Amino acid sequence: MNILRLLKRGKTAKAAKDRLQIIIAQERSQQSQQTDYLPLMRQEILKVIAKYTGVKLQDVKVDLQSNRSNSVLELNITLPENLKAKTPAEEKATETEEEVEAETA
Amino acid sequence: MSEVIVVTSGKGGVGKTTTSASFATGLAQRGFKTAVIDFDIGLRNLDLVMGCERRVVYDLVNVIQGEATLKQALIKDRNNENLYILAASQTRDKEVLTTEGVEKVINDLKGLGFDYIICDSPAGIEKGAHMAMYFADSALIVTNPEVSSVRDSDRILGLLGSKTYRAENDLPSIKEHLIITRYSAKRVNTGEMLSVADIKELLGVSLLGIIPECQSVLSASNAGSPVIRDDGSLAGKAYSRIISRFLGEEVPDDSAKKGFFRRLFASNKEKELA
Ligand SMILES: Nc1ncnc2c1ncn2[C@@H]1O[C@H](COP(=O)(O)OP(=O)(O)OP(=O)(O)O)[C@@H](O)[C@H]1O
Ligand SMILES: [Mg+2]
């Protein structure tokens, strides 16, 4: 009677390890995916901002905060004092500091 | 130079507070001026394990909120003059912890000449756990040989590498040490429990030591005396070896198995004694 139970019992640690290997790999890749696109996106957003305002790379602070259900992306851009708006739409930007918040699922 | 060490795990009840108490006591026994801080706001336990619960007047939250000075809140250990405890608040909400407040407490402790500052993290990944790890130079990852504990430890490793002062400021990363607690060699041998090799492989962190499942841990908590002081107990000895390894000394492996005959001999001897 004991042999069957012994054999069965002997397998549980192996099963635990196999399951963990899969879930840990999955979670690690999710974690890195979440932030991997950040540098690239930052570059692209910057290109757009630079096109209209001439703000430099080091003047933009990008911060990503995540919890279980959602992530908040915070962009902090200090606009130059005597900014000359190049397009009518840009004339609205009178403050020297603007905060753009975007939510990603 | 002071070193800030967080004792963390993600999962609850794996032995963080037990490890914090013994690790801090062990460093103090070796002559290092050591402070141990309970970050488990609302559920303080470190004071009980350290046996100073009746001497808590002010706590970490009082200091952060300016209601007491750090010196007033630090409790000197009765048995070791190098050892101090900073208790958690039992009544407040953990949201009162602020990065600036915690930073000031840690900097002030460094200013007082502490060699080691041990931060006992609460379970979970919320504010308290985040604050406990934020200013760390090293981390003790406490893991049980069990699926959910290993998974949570991996999650914590991810946070140590991304949501800490060192990570956010591109400083050299936090030194990570794995401590496996509540280990039962017998259950590993029968294949019921994950082995040390499995856990090391899964987490990819270097192992500082293994603490066996040991009755003395409960008696030590009951008495309010960290188990490392019980130098006849298996857990106490294992914590002492962890201190030695942490300080860079050569010590035998925890997992070194006794030979069959020695085991036979030992068990016969135990029977004789019984
Ligand atoms: N090596 C061990 N052998 C036997 N019992 C142990 C061992 N380590 C810890 N325990 C017991 O496990 C329980 C939880 O331990 P402890 O309070 O240290 O965990 P924790 O991780 O700090 O918990 P929490 O997440 O609630 O803060 C306690 O009852 C303790 O006595
Ligand atoms: Mg605890």
Side-chain angles (χ1 to χ4, degrees):
Chain A
M1 50 129 202
N2 276 332
I3 291 180
L4 249 180
R5 249 173 73 193
L6 255 175
L7 282 175
K8 219 169 145 189
R9 212 175 57 172
K11 278 184 191 153
T12 65
K14 176 80 173 58
K17 187 185 173 187
D18 293 345
R19 289 171 56 218
L20 276 167
Q21 256 165 348
I22 293 166
I23 191 71
I24 285 179
Q26 224 171 55
E27 285 173 353
R28 280 185 194 167
S29 78
Q30 269 167 20
Q31 229 174 25
S32 56
Q33 261 171 31
Q34 263 176 20
T35 42
D36 263 351
Y37 66 77
L38 259 191
L40 200 68
M41 187 175 74
R42 192 176 119 141
Q43 291 286 340
E44 289 190 17
I45 292 175
L46 264 163
K47 258 191 234 159
V48 178
I49 294 168
K51 185 175 154 196
Y52 291 99
T53 67
V55 167
K56 295 209 182 63
L57 194 103
Q58 56 266 33
D59 298 330
V60 178
K61 216 181 141 227
V62 182
D63 193 11
L64 183 73
Q65 288 178 329
S66 313
N67 58 35
R68 267 171 229 258
S69 57
N70 68 322
S71 301
V72 174
L73 179 70
E74 208 177 71
L75 287 184
N76 248 303
I77 306 160
T78 309
L79 298 177
E81 295 264 347
N82 47 359
L83 175 71
K84 293 221 171 70
K86 295 184 178 174
T87 68
E90 283 301 309
E91 268 163 8
K92 282 185 217 147
T94 47
E95 295 141 279
T96 52
E97 199 167 310
E98 266 200 351
E99 223 174 62
V100 185
E101 276 197 358
E103 287 215 27
T104 55
Chain B
M1 261 299 281
S2 339
E3 184 170 347
V4 180
I5 305 167
V6 61
V7 181
T8 183
S9 69
K11 189 170 159 60
V14 296
K16 292 179 293 296
T17 300
T18 304
T19 299
S20 299
S22 279
F23 199 77
T25 303
L27 288 172
Q29 285 174 338
R30 300 296 195 94
F32 296 102
K33 193 171 172 186
T34 306
V36 56
I37 311 177
D38 190 347
F39 276 82
D40 208 343
I41 310 299
L43 286 171
R44 81 170 176 225
N45 275 323
L46 184 69
D47 54 337
L48 275 173
V49 178
M50 299 289 301
C52 66
E53 71 280 2
R54 287 171 60 193
R55 292 192 290 142
V56 179
V57 181
Y58 296 113
D59 57 54
L60 174 64
V61 173
N62 292 135
V63 178
I64 285 179
Q65 303 211 321
E67 296 153 355
T69 64
L70 181 59
K71 278 191 176 167
Q72 286 176 313
L74 280 173
I75 303 163
K76 192 173 181 170
D77 186 75
R78 274 214 208 87
N79 300 297
N80 193 317
E81 57 171 20
N82 296 321
L83 183 58
Y84 290 80
I85 299 112
L86 184 53
S89 166
Q90 184 66 314
T91 51
R92 310 283 188 88
D93 192 87
K94 57 183 180 295
E95 295 306 315
V96 299
L97 291 178
T98 59
T99 314
E100 297 74 30
V102 172
E103 183 172 29
K104 184 163 189 315
V105 168
I106 285 178
N107 283 339
D108 289 352
L109 285 170
K110 288 179 180 173
L112 289 172
F114 279 95
D115 299 304
Y116 291 103
I117 299 161
I118 315 296
C119 303
D120 180 16
S121 174
I125 52 170
E126 309 299 324
K127 188 86 179 208
H130 181 216
M131 285 295 106
M133 72 166 68
Y134 193 72
F135 293 103
D137 302 305
S138 304
L140 308 183
I141 322 288
V142 181
T143 307
N144 290 167
E146 178 262 326
V147 280
S148 53
S149 174
V150 173
R151 179 200 203 166
D152 288 359
S153 291
D154 190 67
R155 184 77 197 277
I156 285 291
L157 287 170
L159 295 175
L160 285 168
S162 64
K163 296 286 158 66
T164 51
Y165 183 81
R166 282 180 171 270
E168 287 173 3
N169 291 280
D170 288 327
L171 293 167
S173 55
I174 293 176
K175 263 180 262 142
E176 297 157 347
H177 305 277
L178 179 65
I179 295 183
I180 300 174
T181 57
R182 315 201 66 163
Y183 190 78
S184 159
K186 201 175 144 200
R187 298 183 68 189
V188 169
N189 287 339
T190 57
E192 283 175 86
M193 216 182 230
L194 287 162
S195 71
V196 172
D198 289 341
I199 299 171
K200 269 173 76 176
E201 182 191 331
L202 286 160
L203 295 177
V205 177
S206 74
L207 180 70
L208 191 60
I210 304 161
I211 311 296
E213 175 75 24
C214 177
Q215 170 65 41
S216 309
V217 173
L218 185 63
S219 340
S221 309
N222 288 344
S225 167
V227 71
I228 196 169
R229 285 199 210 281
D230 181 358
D231 44 25
S233 70
L234 288 176
K237 283 181 188 154
Y239 276 118
S240 291
R241 284 196 297 273
I242 280 186
I243 296 289
S244 301
R245 267 184 222 115
F246 184 80
L247 296 173
E249 297 159 18
E250 288 282 328
V251 266
D253 235 8
D254 292 322
S255 55
K257 281 186 207 116
K258 284 181 194 155
F260 175 71
F261 286 104
R262 271 181 64 194
R263 244 188 354 222
L264 198 74
F265 179 71
S267 54
N268 277 339
K269 208 168 150 193
E270 272 163 27
K271 274 179 215 151
E272 275 168 31
L273 289 172

